Amino acid sequence: MYGLVRAADHGWDDTTALLCLGGAVPLGAAWVTVDRRSAEPLVPPHVLAERRRAGGFLGLVTLAAVLTSFLFLMVQYLDAALGLGPLGTGLAILPFGLSLLVTTQLLDRFLAGLGHRPRAVTGLAVALLAVLWLTRLHEDSGYATGMLGPTTLLGIGVGLALVPLNLTILATTRPEDSGVTAGILQAALTVGGTLGLALLLVPYNRAGGEPGTAVPAAFDWSAGIAGLSLLTVAACWYLPGRAPRE
């Protein structure tokens, strides 16, 4: 992650960035090797091997990347580009939180009969549409016409996807693995958010760091991550294979 942030600031030919990114590869390989040989591995391989559970983890990682970067980018745009200030920026983001709350507490209950997989995939598709909408921002975009709609829509999409993704992961886990699975779940959210933000700093800084132009450029990459999230989860859950039908 530091390598990505360093590359965003200093370019991809920066020696420190390349050393950090390159060093992460053997360190990651060493961790996997040691963990596999351990009598009590930190991440038991079978926890990640089941397709539905693996799809859920990947969905959470990529969704967290989209969500964390959205909050960062929106704050930059609302405060610096629109000049709303701290209080105005917080109130402007409020519709996202309200739509997320309403969706998880009310709307999700009405859709419970659809099953976890259709709800999660629908939510990821809605989130993708919201981020694609945000790519249309420009320097002259106003809040009501350019941001209120996609902000609210993203809250609905995240609310639809988040609960089914969590439930699918936990429901497919053996009781003796529930603790480590819950730990991996929380780690996926944290790592996904941090990694997504580090990655999106690359197009943000490449566009000059001015929120009016840099934020839409970063949302282009965020839309790619949202699309990857949708395709990955759908492939793990719906393509023919070992994953049983609901």
Side-chain angles (χ1 to χ4, degrees):
M1 292 177 186
Y2 178 75
L4 287 173
V5 174
R6 178 83 182 187
D9 286 335
H10 299 278
W12 289 98
D13 57 348
D14 180 75
T15 303
T16 302
L18 293 175
L19 287 174
C20 289
L21 293 172
V25 176
L27 286 174
W31 167 65
V32 172
T33 302
V34 172
D35 214 35
R36 285 185 172 182
R37 295 176 179 177
S38 174
E40 296 183 4
L42 184 64
V43 181
H46 65 268
V47 173
L48 302 177
E50 206 275 338
R51 276 185 55 184
R52 290 173 301 173
R53 198 158 52 245
F57 282 131
L58 291 172
L60 285 179
V61 168
T62 48
L63 186 61
V66 171
L67 178 57
T68 303
S69 58
F70 160 77
L71 294 173
F72 169 78
L73 294 172
M74 287 294 285
V75 168
Q76 303 306 310
Y77 191 89
L78 292 168
D79 187 26
L82 297 187
L84 296 185
L87 179 59
T89 297
L91 292 175
I93 296 178
L94 188 59
F96 167 78
L98 290 176
S99 61
L100 175 62
L101 179 64
V102 170
T103 302
T104 54
Q105 298 300 316
L106 298 177
L107 181 59
D108 202 54
R109 296 180 182 178
F110 290 104
L111 300 176
L114 295 177
H116 298 331
R117 291 188 294 170
R119 285 153 55 202
V121 171
T122 300
L124 293 174
V126 172
L128 173 59
L129 291 176
V131 179
L132 287 172
W133 193 347
L134 287 169
T135 63
R136 299 175 61 85
L137 286 175
H138 51 81
E139 295 180 353
D140 298 324
S141 294
Y143 173 73
T145 57
M147 308 182 71
L148 179 59
T151 298
T152 304
L153 188 64
L154 184 61
I156 295 173
V158 173
L160 283 175
L162 196 58
V163 173
L165 285 171
N166 281 271
L167 290 177
T168 298
I169 291 172
L170 296 176
T172 58
T173 301
R174 298 183 302 188
E176 60 268 27
D177 294 326
S178 58
V180 68
T181 301
I184 298 173
L185 189 154
Q186 293 302 317
L189 292 172
T190 303
V191 172
T194 308
L195 184 60
L197 183 55
L199 182 63
L200 290 183
L201 284 176
V202 174
Y204 185 87
N205 288 340
R206 184 181 296 171
E210 292 295 330
T213 55
V215 168
F219 275 130
D220 288 339
W221 284 41
S222 183
I225 298 175
L228 178 64
S229 180
L230 174 61
L231 292 175
T232 301
V233 172
C236 288
W237 288 1
Y238 284 103
L239 287 181
R242 292 176 294 170
R245 297 178 63 86
E246 291 187 64

PDB file of all heavy atoms in Angstrom, residues 4-22:
ATOM      1  N   LEU A   4       2.126   1.903  -3.467  1.00  0.00           N
ATOM      2  CA  LEU A   4       1.147   2.542  -4.340  1.00  0.00           C
ATOM      3  C   LEU A   4       1.042   4.034  -4.057  1.00  0.00           C
ATOM      4  O   LEU A   4       0.988   4.858  -4.982  1.00  0.00           O
ATOM      5  CB  LEU A   4      -0.227   1.878  -4.161  1.00  0.00           C
ATOM      6  CG  LEU A   4      -0.393   0.478  -4.747  1.00  0.00           C
ATOM      7  CD1 LEU A   4      -1.739  -0.104  -4.339  1.00  0.00           C
ATOM      8  CD2 LEU A   4      -0.280   0.510  -6.263  1.00  0.00           C
ATOM      9  N   VAL A   5       0.995   4.392  -2.770  1.00  0.00           N
ATOM     10  CA  VAL A   5       0.914   5.815  -2.422  1.00  0.00           C
ATOM     11  C   VAL A   5       2.175   6.547  -2.859  1.00  0.00           C
ATOM     12  O   VAL A   5       2.127   7.661  -3.383  1.00  0.00           O
ATOM     13  CB  VAL A   5       0.696   5.967  -0.898  1.00  0.00           C
ATOM     14  CG1 VAL A   5       0.755   7.438  -0.497  1.00  0.00           C
ATOM     15  CG2 VAL A   5      -0.644   5.369  -0.495  1.00  0.00           C
ATOM     16  N   ARG A   6       3.320   5.907  -2.665  1.00  0.00           N
ATOM     17  CA  ARG A   6       4.592   6.509  -3.075  1.00  0.00           C
ATOM     18  C   ARG A   6       4.645   6.697  -4.589  1.00  0.00           C
ATOM     19  O   ARG A   6       5.079   7.743  -5.090  1.00  0.00           O
ATOM     20  CB  ARG A   6       5.746   5.606  -2.627  1.00  0.00           C
ATOM     21  CG  ARG A   6       7.122   6.078  -3.021  1.00  0.00           C
ATOM     22  CD  ARG A   6       7.678   7.090  -2.068  1.00  0.00           C
ATOM     23  NE  ARG A   6       8.985   7.561  -2.507  1.00  0.00           N
ATOM     24  CZ  ARG A   6       9.752   8.367  -1.779  1.00  0.00           C
ATOM     25  NH1 ARG A   6       9.332   8.771  -0.592  1.00  0.00           N
ATOM     26  NH2 ARG A   6      10.922   8.763  -2.242  1.00  0.00           N
ATOM     27  N   ALA A   7       4.167   5.690  -5.335  1.00  0.00           N
ATOM     28  CA  ALA A   7       4.148   5.796  -6.794  1.00  0.00           C
ATOM     29  C   ALA A   7       3.207   6.891  -7.259  1.00  0.00           C
ATOM     30  O   ALA A   7       3.475   7.590  -8.243  1.00  0.00           O
ATOM     31  CB  ALA A   7       3.752   4.454  -7.401  1.00  0.00           C
ATOM     32  N   ALA A   8       2.084   7.052  -6.544  1.00  0.00           N
ATOM     33  CA  ALA A   8       1.139   8.106  -6.909  1.00  0.00           C
ATOM     34  C   ALA A   8       1.761   9.487  -6.746  1.00  0.00           C
ATOM     35  O   ALA A   8       1.488  10.405  -7.525  1.00  0.00           O
ATOM     36  CB  ALA A   8      -0.122   7.990  -6.055  1.00  0.00           C
ATOM     37  N   ASP A   9       2.610   9.646  -5.727  1.00  0.00           N
ATOM     38  CA  ASP A   9       3.222  10.945  -5.464  1.00  0.00           C
ATOM     39  C   ASP A   9       4.482  11.196  -6.293  1.00  0.00           C
ATOM     40  O   ASP A   9       4.738  12.326  -6.719  1.00  0.00           O
ATOM     41  CB  ASP A   9       3.579  11.066  -3.977  1.00  0.00           C
ATOM     42  CG  ASP A   9       2.349  11.274  -3.110  1.00  0.00           C
ATOM     43  OD1 ASP A   9       1.343  11.779  -3.645  1.00  0.00           O
ATOM     44  OD2 ASP A   9       2.391  10.931  -1.927  1.00  0.00           O
ATOM     45  N   HIS A  10       5.282  10.141  -6.513  1.00  0.00           N
ATOM     46  CA  HIS A  10       6.605  10.321  -7.111  1.00  0.00           C
ATOM     47  C   HIS A  10       6.790   9.642  -8.465  1.00  0.00           C
ATOM     48  O   HIS A  10       7.866   9.732  -9.042  1.00  0.00           O
ATOM     49  CB  HIS A  10       7.680   9.803  -6.143  1.00  0.00           C
ATOM     50  CG  HIS A  10       7.695  10.523  -4.823  1.00  0.00           C
ATOM     51  ND1 HIS A  10       8.325  11.728  -4.636  1.00  0.00           N
ATOM     52  CD2 HIS A  10       7.132  10.198  -3.625  1.00  0.00           C
ATOM     53  CE1 HIS A  10       8.179  12.121  -3.381  1.00  0.00           C
ATOM     54  NE2 HIS A  10       7.452  11.216  -2.750  1.00  0.00           N
ATOM     55  N   GLY A  11       5.766   8.955  -8.942  1.00  0.00           N
ATOM     56  CA  GLY A  11       5.878   8.300 -10.237  1.00  0.00           C
ATOM     57  C   GLY A  11       6.269   6.841 -10.102  1.00  0.00           C
ATOM     58  O   GLY A  11       6.810   6.399  -9.079  1.00  0.00           O
ATOM     59  N   TRP A  12       6.009   6.086 -11.178  1.00  0.00           N
ATOM     60  CA  TRP A  12       6.245   4.641 -11.158  1.00  0.00           C
ATOM     61  C   TRP A  12       7.704   4.272 -11.359  1.00  0.00           C
ATOM     62  O   TRP A  12       8.071   3.098 -11.267  1.00  0.00           O
ATOM     63  CB  TRP A  12       5.382   3.965 -12.214  1.00  0.00           C
ATOM     64  CG  TRP A  12       3.940   3.974 -11.845  1.00  0.00           C
ATOM     65  CD1 TRP A  12       2.999   4.856 -12.273  1.00  0.00           C
ATOM     66  CD2 TRP A  12       3.278   3.098 -10.940  1.00  0.00           C
ATOM     67  NE1 TRP A  12       1.783   4.584 -11.688  1.00  0.00           N
ATOM     68  CE2 TRP A  12       1.923   3.504 -10.868  1.00  0.00           C
ATOM     69  CE3 TRP A  12       3.698   2.000 -10.177  1.00  0.00           C
ATOM     70  CZ2 TRP A  12       0.993   2.853 -10.067  1.00  0.00           C
ATOM     71  CZ3 TRP A  12       2.769   1.349  -9.380  1.00  0.00           C
ATOM     72  CH2 TRP A  12       1.436   1.780  -9.326  1.00  0.00           C
ATOM     73  N   ASP A  13       8.563   5.262 -11.604  1.00  0.00           N
ATOM     74  CA  ASP A  13       9.987   4.980 -11.701  1.00  0.00           C
ATOM     75  C   ASP A  13      10.715   5.296 -10.397  1.00  0.00           C
ATOM     76  O   ASP A  13      11.943   5.235 -10.333  1.00  0.00           O
ATOM     77  CB  ASP A  13      10.608   5.774 -12.851  1.00  0.00           C
ATOM     78  CG  ASP A  13      10.386   7.273 -12.714  1.00  0.00           C
ATOM     79  OD1 ASP A  13       9.561   7.684 -11.861  1.00  0.00           O
ATOM     80  OD2 ASP A  13      11.026   8.043 -13.463  1.00  0.00           O
ATOM     81  N   ASP A  14       9.962   5.625  -9.345  1.00  0.00           N
ATOM     82  CA  ASP A  14      10.557   5.920  -8.052  1.00  0.00           C
ATOM     83  C   ASP A  14      11.140   4.644  -7.437  1.00  0.00           C
ATOM     84  O   ASP A  14      10.454   3.618  -7.347  1.00  0.00           O
ATOM     85  CB  ASP A  14       9.513   6.530  -7.113  1.00  0.00           C
ATOM     86  CG  ASP A  14      10.080   6.862  -5.755  1.00  0.00           C
ATOM     87  OD1 ASP A  14      10.808   7.861  -5.646  1.00  0.00           O
ATOM     88  OD2 ASP A  14       9.809   6.097  -4.801  1.00  0.00           O
ATOM     89  N   THR A  15      12.396   4.697  -7.004  1.00  0.00           N
ATOM     90  CA  THR A  15      13.087   3.509  -6.486  1.00  0.00           C
ATOM     91  C   THR A  15      12.417   2.967  -5.236  1.00  0.00           C
ATOM     92  O   THR A  15      12.221   1.752  -5.101  1.00  0.00           O
ATOM     93  CB  THR A  15      14.557   3.846  -6.182  1.00  0.00           C
ATOM     94  OG1 THR A  15      15.182   4.334  -7.362  1.00  0.00           O
ATOM     95  CG2 THR A  15      15.298   2.611  -5.690  1.00  0.00           C
ATOM     96  N   THR A  16      12.037   3.835  -4.309  1.00  0.00           N
ATOM     97  CA  THR A  16      11.403   3.384  -3.075  1.00  0.00           C
ATOM     98  C   THR A  16      10.075   2.701  -3.350  1.00  0.00           C
ATOM     99  O   THR A  16       9.762   1.657  -2.759  1.00  0.00           O
ATOM    100  CB  THR A  16      11.191   4.578  -2.123  1.00  0.00           C
ATOM    101  OG1 THR A  16      12.449   5.203  -1.848  1.00  0.00           O
ATOM    102  CG2 THR A  16      10.558   4.110  -0.815  1.00  0.00           C
ATOM    103  N   ALA A  17       9.299   3.269  -4.265  1.00  0.00           N
ATOM    104  CA  ALA A  17       8.012   2.658  -4.606  1.00  0.00           C
ATOM    105  C   ALA A  17       8.206   1.275  -5.204  1.00  0.00           C
ATOM    106  O   ALA A  17       7.491   0.319  -4.841  1.00  0.00           O
ATOM    107  CB  ALA A  17       7.250   3.555  -5.579  1.00  0.00           C
ATOM    108  N   LEU A  18       9.177   1.155  -6.111  1.00  0.00           N
ATOM    109  CA  LEU A  18       9.421  -0.138  -6.750  1.00  0.00           C
ATOM    110  C   LEU A  18       9.938  -1.163  -5.749  1.00  0.00           C
ATOM    111  O   LEU A  18       9.567  -2.344  -5.792  1.00  0.00           O
ATOM    112  CB  LEU A  18      10.422   0.031  -7.890  1.00  0.00           C
ATOM    113  CG  LEU A  18       9.919   0.862  -9.087  1.00  0.00           C
ATOM    114  CD1 LEU A  18      11.046   1.054 -10.103  1.00  0.00           C
ATOM    115  CD2 LEU A  18       8.719   0.193  -9.742  1.00  0.00           C
ATOM    116  N   LEU A  19      10.783  -0.741  -4.806  1.00  0.00           N
ATOM    117  CA  LEU A  19      11.287  -1.652  -3.789  1.00  0.00           C
ATOM    118  C   LEU A  19      10.167  -2.139  -2.877  1.00  0.00           C
ATOM    119  O   LEU A  19      10.119  -3.323  -2.509  1.00  0.00           O
ATOM    120  CB  LEU A  19      12.386  -0.968  -2.961  1.00  0.00           C
ATOM    121  CG  LEU A  19      13.738  -0.760  -3.654  1.00  0.00           C
ATOM    122  CD1 LEU A  19      14.667   0.057  -2.766  1.00  0.00           C
ATOM    123  CD2 LEU A  19      14.370  -2.104  -4.002  1.00  0.00           C
ATOM    124  N   CYS A  20       9.272  -1.230  -2.505  1.00  0.00           N
ATOM    125  CA  CYS A  20       8.149  -1.622  -1.641  1.00  0.00           C
ATOM    126  C   CYS A  20       7.218  -2.594  -2.358  1.00  0.00           C
ATOM    127  O   CYS A  20       6.803  -3.619  -1.786  1.00  0.00           O
ATOM    128  CB  CYS A  20       7.379  -0.384  -1.198  1.00  0.00           C
ATOM    129  SG  CYS A  20       8.262   0.643  -0.006  1.00  0.00           S
ATOM    130  N   LEU A  21       6.857  -2.283  -3.595  1.00  0.00           N
ATOM    131  CA  LEU A  21       5.958  -3.158  -4.350  1.00  0.00           C
ATOM    132  C   LEU A  21       6.621  -4.500  -4.639  1.00  0.00           C
ATOM    133  O   LEU A  21       5.985  -5.557  -4.532  1.00  0.00           O
ATOM    134  CB  LEU A  21       5.550  -2.473  -5.653  1.00  0.00           C
ATOM    135  CG  LEU A  21       4.664  -1.234  -5.492  1.00  0.00           C
ATOM    136  CD1 LEU A  21       4.489  -0.526  -6.834  1.00  0.00           C
ATOM    137  CD2 LEU A  21       3.306  -1.609  -4.924  1.00  0.00           C
ATOM    138  N   GLY A  22       7.902  -4.462  -5.006  1.00  0.00           N
ATOM    139  CA  GLY A  22       8.608  -5.703  -5.275  1.00  0.00           C
ATOM    140  C   GLY A  22       8.823  -6.530  -4.021  1.00  0.00           C
ATOM    141  O   GLY A  22       8.741  -7.762  -4.050  1.00  0.00           O
TER     142      GLY A  22
END
